[in-house]
Amino acid sequence: MNAIVIDDEGNVRNTIKSLLRENFPEINIVASAGSIGEGYEALVKYQPDILFLDIKLPDGTGFELLKKFPEIPFKIIFVTGHNEYAIDAIKV
């Protein structure tokens, strides 16, 4: 299973990647990104099975990133400290 991690905080990206490597060796992290622009390029290039996505990014929101895809061909796990987006995340 291939995964991408998108979060604007480098230490959070590194923590997620470390936790995945230690606990889920079957997940191959193919890319990580710190913005919508970088994340979009990685998603198009690598077409992952799963996306670990922060909601607030420097150039917009994770929801705006997802709107760039007519169909979302990957599973999404939101990783955020912003509980005000919980309902929107559940809807996605």
Side-chain angles (χ1 to χ4, degrees):
M1 179 179 291
N2 291 328
I4 292 178
V5 178
I6 301 175
D7 195 296
D8 60 326
E9 296 183 45
N11 62 330
V12 173
R13 285 193 309 270
N14 290 335
T15 298
I16 293 169
K17 291 189 287 188
S18 292
L19 288 169
L20 289 172
R21 284 187 198 109
E22 291 171 18
N23 298 290
F24 301 95
E26 68 276 10
I27 295 178
N28 179 37
I29 302 157
V30 294
S32 65
S35 68
I36 289 175
E38 293 172 356
Y40 179 76
E41 288 178 17
L43 288 165
V44 169
K45 180 177 180 178
Y46 293 105
Q47 300 180 3
D49 302 298
I50 189 165
L51 169 63
F52 293 85
L53 179 62
D54 189 11
I55 292 180
K56 283 197 146 188
L57 297 159
D59 52 347
T61 68
F63 300 121
E64 292 169 338
L65 171 62
L66 296 174
K67 287 180 184 174
K68 294 178 178 273
F69 295 90
E71 291 183 30
I72 299 174
F74 42 80
K75 295 185 185 317
I76 305 161
I77 295 178
F78 287 101
V79 289
T80 184
H82 300 278
N83 61 1
E84 64 268 23
Y85 295 108
I87 298 298
D88 292 331
I90 290 168
K91 288 178 183 177
V92 171

